[in-house]
Amino acid sequence: MTGSKFRGLPQSMVRSILILSVFMLCLSCVRMENHSPVVSPDKRKTILWAWERPEDLQFIDPNSVGIAFLAQTLILKDNDVVRYPRKQPLHVSDGTYLIAVTRIETIKKGKFPEFSSRQRHEIVRLLMKTLDLPNIKAIQIDFDVTRSERIFYRQVIFELRRKLPKGFPFTITALGSWCMEDRWFGDLPVDEAIPMVF
C-alpha cells in the first residue's frame, strides 16, 4: 500500500484495488459453459464495487473503469419479498458504465421463506426495475444460496433471462467453493460468475 501508484488515493480505494487484484490473481472470472458471453464494454474495463455507503467516484475515468453498485437488497421471508433500496448516495461522472447489483438474502430465523412462485415473480419484477435506473449497462445478482435454495435460484435466473432484452449483460456472484469443487451452476444462462472470496 506504500507504492507510488497508490499515493493520494483514499485507503478504502486502495483496499478495494488490492482485494480486486487478489481476486484476479487467485480466481479468474468463470465464463458459463452453455451460454455465449455477451461482448460488452465492461470486458475492457476495471469494475469497482460500491456497496451500501456514501461514495463519490466522479474522479474515475469512465473510459477505463466501471462501477458495480448495490442498487437494492431483497429479503425473503414467509411468502414475501421485502425490498430495501439503496439509501447512500453514489456520485459518478456522466457516461460511467454502471452495473446494478441486487443482493438477495433469506431470513434464517422465524418466518422462513416459502420460495414460492409468487416470490420468484416478485424478485424478477424488482430485478427488471433496476434497468430503469440511469445509465445501467448490466445487472448482477448477489445471492449466497444454500444447497436447498438452489432450485429456486435457478428458476429466478431462467425467468429473468427470458425477460431481459436480448444480449443484455447479466452476471452473478459466486462463492469461491462454487468455482472449485462445487460447479453446480455451469449451465445457468448468465454471462459470468464473479468469484467472491472472504
Side-chain angles (χ1 to χ4, degrees):
M1 281 199 276
T2 59
S4 60
K5 66 172 67 174
F6 294 137
R7 286 195 189 122
L9 288 176
Q11 286 298 308
S12 61
M13 174 63 86
V14 173
R15 281 194 295 272
S16 297
I17 292 171
L18 291 176
I19 290 169
L20 181 63
S21 299
V22 170
F23 289 164
M24 297 298 286
L25 287 171
C26 296
L27 289 170
S28 61
C29 290
V30 179
R31 295 197 185 280
M32 308 314 290
E33 295 163 6
N34 297 324
H35 183 71
S36 299
V38 172
V39 178
S40 59
D42 67 312
K43 300 297 184 284
R44 301 192 298 270
K45 294 180 183 290
T46 298
I47 303 295
L48 303 180
W49 247 27
W51 214 235
E52 184 64 277
R53 64 181 186 183
E55 296 282 9
D56 186 349
L57 299 174
Q58 295 177 90
F59 65 91
I60 69 168
D61 178 5
N63 294 313
S64 59
V65 179
I67 299 169
F69 72 98
L70 180 66
Q72 61 184 351
T73 300
L74 307 180
I75 308 293
L76 308 185
K77 64 178 183 179
D78 198 17
N79 194 27
D80 295 320
V81 178
V82 181
R83 177 179 180 265
Y84 295 94
R86 181 184 185 88
K87 294 183 175 67
Q88 301 297 330
L90 173 65
H91 300 291
V92 300
S93 300
D94 291 342
T96 300
Y97 186 96
L98 294 178
I99 302 172
V101 181
T102 295
R103 169 72 180 169
I104 301 176
E105 299 179 359
T106 56
I107 295 294
K108 303 300 184 187
K109 296 180 181 178
K111 293 189 174 182
F112 293 96
E114 294 181 12
F115 299 113
S116 64
S117 59
R118 176 181 179 275
Q119 285 175 305
R120 184 179 77 246
H121 297 325
E122 180 64 3
I123 289 170
V124 171
R125 185 186 73 80
L126 292 170
L127 286 162
M128 290 296 296
K129 288 287 289 178
T130 64
L131 273 65
D132 297 335
L133 296 171
N135 221 23
I136 298 302
K137 300 295 190 295
I139 62 172
Q140 184 177 101
I141 302 177
D142 179 38
F143 190 5
D144 306 330
V145 290
T146 63
R147 287 181 183 273
S148 64
E149 297 166 345
R150 290 177 181 177
I151 292 175
F152 177 79
Y153 190 28
R154 290 175 64 87
Q155 292 170 340
V156 167
I157 288 172
F158 275 92
E159 183 173 331
L160 177 62
R161 174 55 82 183
R162 286 193 296 271
K163 296 197 170 198
L164 284 170
K166 186 174 182 180
F168 192 84
F170 168 31
T171 65
I172 61 172
T173 61
L175 297 176
S177 61
W178 298 358
C179 303
M180 292 181 283
E181 72 276 5
D182 187 12
R183 295 290 300 278
W184 64 273
F185 59 97
D187 64 336
L188 293 178
V190 299
D191 299 298
E192 261 181 350
I194 313 300
M196 308 298 291
V197 179
F198 301 96

